[in-house]
Amino acid sequence: MSDFRSSPVRSFARIALSVGVAALATQLVGCGKKAAVDEELAAKLTQPVASVSLQAAPAAAPGSRTGEQIYTSVCGACHESGAAGAPKAGDKGAWAPRLAQGYDGLVKSAAAGKNAMPPKGGAADLTDNELKRAVAFLANKAGAGFKAPD
Protein backbone atom coordinates (compact mmCIF):
# COMPACT_ATOMS: atom_id res chain seq x y z
CA MET A 1 0.00 0.00 0.00
CA SER A 2 1.34 3.39 -0.85
CA ASP A 3 1.82 6.17 1.62
CA PHE A 4 -0.98 8.85 1.43
CA ARG A 5 1.55 11.65 1.90
CA SER A 6 3.17 10.88 -1.44
CA SER A 7 0.13 9.70 -3.34
CA PRO A 8 -1.12 11.36 -6.53
CA VAL A 9 -4.33 12.31 -4.69
CA ARG A 10 -2.32 14.22 -2.13
CA SER A 11 -0.33 16.00 -4.86
CA PHE A 12 -3.54 16.97 -6.65
CA ALA A 13 -5.03 18.26 -3.41
CA ARG A 14 -1.96 20.44 -2.78
CA ILE A 15 -2.10 21.84 -6.31
CA ALA A 16 -5.83 22.52 -6.06
CA LEU A 17 -5.40 24.19 -2.69
CA SER A 18 -2.55 26.36 -4.04
CA VAL A 19 -4.63 27.42 -7.03
CA GLY A 20 -7.61 28.19 -4.82
CA VAL A 21 -5.50 30.29 -2.43
CA ALA A 22 -3.97 32.18 -5.37
CA ALA A 23 -7.43 32.89 -6.85
CA LEU A 24 -8.71 34.10 -3.49
CA ALA A 25 -5.66 36.31 -3.02
CA THR A 26 -6.18 38.02 -6.38
CA GLN A 27 -9.78 38.79 -5.42
CA LEU A 28 -8.78 40.26 -2.07
CA VAL A 29 -5.98 42.46 -3.44
CA GLY A 30 -8.47 44.95 -4.94
CA CYS A 31 -10.86 44.82 -1.99
CA GLY A 32 -11.83 48.36 -0.87
CA LYS A 33 -10.26 50.07 -3.88
CA LYS A 34 -12.15 51.87 -6.60
CA ALA A 35 -12.08 49.97 -9.86
CA ALA A 36 -10.12 51.65 -12.63
CA VAL A 37 -12.58 53.08 -15.17
CA ASP A 38 -11.76 54.31 -18.63
CA GLU A 39 -13.62 57.64 -18.46
CA GLU A 40 -13.48 58.23 -22.21
CA LEU A 41 -14.94 54.79 -22.95
CA ALA A 42 -17.62 55.24 -20.27
CA ALA A 43 -18.64 58.58 -21.77
CA LYS A 44 -18.81 57.07 -25.24
CA LEU A 45 -20.94 54.16 -24.06
CA THR A 46 -23.41 56.40 -22.22
CA GLN A 47 -24.03 58.99 -24.91
CA PRO A 48 -27.66 59.81 -25.73
CA VAL A 49 -29.22 58.19 -28.76
CA ALA A 50 -30.28 61.54 -30.21
CA SER A 51 -29.51 65.24 -29.88
CA VAL A 52 -31.20 68.49 -30.85
CA SER A 53 -29.35 71.42 -32.37
CA LEU A 54 -30.99 74.83 -32.62
CA GLN A 55 -29.77 77.31 -35.20
CA ALA A 56 -30.79 80.87 -35.82
CA ALA A 57 -32.65 81.59 -39.00
CA PRO A 58 -30.33 82.90 -41.67
CA ALA A 59 -30.09 86.67 -41.62
CA ALA A 60 -31.28 88.62 -44.62
CA ALA A 61 -28.53 89.82 -46.91
CA PRO A 62 -27.44 93.38 -46.09
CA GLY A 63 -29.57 95.86 -47.98
CA SER A 64 -32.32 93.37 -48.87
CA ARG A 65 -34.69 93.84 -45.90
CA THR A 66 -38.09 95.33 -46.54
CA GLY A 67 -39.50 98.31 -44.65
CA GLU A 68 -41.92 96.00 -42.84
CA GLN A 69 -39.12 93.60 -41.78
CA ILE A 70 -37.08 96.49 -40.40
CA TYR A 71 -40.11 98.01 -38.68
CA THR A 72 -40.91 94.65 -37.03
CA SER A 73 -37.36 93.94 -35.88
CA VAL A 74 -36.19 97.47 -34.99
CA CYS A 75 -38.81 100.21 -34.93
CA GLY A 76 -41.88 98.41 -33.63
CA ALA A 77 -40.52 98.02 -30.10
CA CYS A 78 -41.13 101.73 -29.47
CA HIS A 79 -43.58 102.75 -32.19
CA GLU A 80 -46.15 100.08 -31.31
CA SER A 81 -46.34 101.03 -27.63
CA GLY A 82 -45.34 104.70 -27.75
CA ALA A 83 -42.36 104.02 -25.47
CA ALA A 84 -40.11 107.00 -24.68
CA GLY A 85 -42.51 109.35 -26.42
CA ALA A 86 -42.32 107.66 -29.83
CA PRO A 87 -45.37 108.40 -31.98
CA LYS A 88 -47.46 105.25 -32.31
CA ALA A 89 -47.67 103.65 -35.72
CA GLY A 90 -50.87 104.67 -37.49
CA ASP A 91 -51.62 107.60 -35.15
CA LYS A 92 -52.39 110.26 -37.76
CA GLY A 93 -52.55 113.10 -35.23
CA ALA A 94 -49.12 112.32 -33.77
CA TRP A 95 -47.60 111.84 -37.20
CA ALA A 96 -49.12 114.90 -38.95
CA PRO A 97 -46.37 117.37 -37.93
CA ARG A 98 -43.71 114.82 -38.76
CA LEU A 99 -45.20 114.03 -42.17
CA ALA A 100 -45.21 117.77 -42.89
CA GLN A 101 -41.38 117.53 -42.99
CA GLY A 102 -41.73 115.40 -46.11
CA TYR A 103 -40.09 112.09 -46.90
CA ASP A 104 -36.52 113.42 -47.09
CA GLY A 105 -36.93 115.29 -43.79
CA LEU A 106 -38.18 112.14 -42.04
CA VAL A 107 -35.32 110.06 -43.46
CA LYS A 108 -32.80 112.67 -42.29
CA SER A 109 -34.38 112.75 -38.82
CA ALA A 110 -34.39 108.92 -38.55
CA ALA A 111 -30.76 108.74 -39.72
CA ALA A 112 -29.59 111.25 -37.10
CA GLY A 113 -31.91 110.15 -34.30
CA LYS A 114 -34.58 112.21 -32.58
CA ASN A 115 -35.28 112.71 -28.88
CA ALA A 116 -34.88 109.25 -27.23
CA MET A 117 -34.50 107.48 -30.58
CA PRO A 118 -30.85 106.74 -31.43
CA PRO A 119 -29.56 107.17 -35.00
CA LYS A 120 -31.18 104.63 -37.32
CA GLY A 121 -33.28 103.45 -34.39
CA GLY A 122 -30.19 101.83 -32.92
CA ALA A 123 -29.67 99.52 -35.90
CA ALA A 124 -26.30 100.69 -37.15
CA ASP A 125 -26.24 97.97 -39.82
CA LEU A 126 -29.12 99.51 -41.83
CA THR A 127 -28.21 100.60 -45.32
CA ASP A 128 -29.52 103.95 -46.56
CA ASN A 129 -32.15 102.23 -48.71
CA GLU A 130 -33.28 100.02 -45.82
CA LEU A 131 -33.69 103.09 -43.62
CA LYS A 132 -35.69 104.78 -46.37
CA ARG A 133 -37.92 101.69 -46.72
CA ALA A 134 -38.57 101.61 -42.97
CA VAL A 135 -39.41 105.34 -42.88
CA ALA A 136 -41.80 104.95 -45.82
CA PHE A 137 -43.46 101.92 -44.22
CA LEU A 138 -43.97 103.64 -40.85
CA ALA A 139 -45.07 106.96 -42.35
CA ASN A 140 -47.48 105.24 -44.74
CA LYS A 141 -49.17 103.55 -41.75
CA ALA A 142 -50.12 107.08 -40.66
CA GLY A 143 -51.51 108.00 -44.08
CA ALA A 144 -48.47 109.23 -46.02
CA GLY A 145 -48.12 108.09 -49.61
CA PHE A 146 -44.35 107.76 -49.76
CA LYS A 147 -42.74 105.40 -52.26
CA ALA A 148 -40.00 103.29 -50.77
CA PRO A 149 -36.90 102.52 -52.84
CA ASP A 150 -36.57 99.02 -54.27
Side-chain angles (χ1 to χ4, degrees), residues 2-57:
S2 68
D3 186 3
F4 178 72
R5 284 181 265 162
S6 63
S7 73
V9 173
R10 174 91 173 157
S11 295
F12 177 75
R14 283 184 182 185
I15 293 172
L17 182 60
S18 298
V19 169
V21 169
L24 183 60
T26 60
Q27 293 298 315
L28 292 176
V29 168
C31 188
K33 293 183 182 177
K34 185 178 176 186
V37 176
D38 183 350
E39 298 292 334
E40 190 174 318
L41 178 61
K44 184 177 180 182
L45 293 174
T46 58
Q47 285 190 1
V49 294
S51 65
V52 175
S53 176
L54 300 176
Q55 295 180 356

Side-chain angles (χ1 to χ4, degrees), residues 19-118:
V19 169
V21 169
L24 183 60
T26 60
Q27 293 298 315
L28 292 176
V29 168
C31 188
K33 293 183 182 177
K34 185 178 176 186
V37 176
D38 183 350
E39 298 292 334
E40 190 174 318
L41 178 61
K44 184 177 180 182
L45 293 174
T46 58
Q47 285 190 1
V49 294
S51 65
V52 175
S53 176
L54 300 176
Q55 295 180 356
S64 67
R65 292 175 287 186
T66 66
E68 183 175 7
Q69 289 171 325
I70 295 163
Y71 173 79
T72 301
S73 64
V74 179
C75 315
C78 294
H79 287 286
E80 283 297 312
S81 66
K88 289 185 177 182
D91 182 343
K92 292 182 181 186
W95 279 96
R98 291 165 176 87
L99 296 179
Q101 298 176 45
Y103 181 62
D104 292 334
L106 279 174
V107 169
K108 184 177 178 181
S109 177
K114 181 162 177 97
N115 299 329
M117 184 182 91

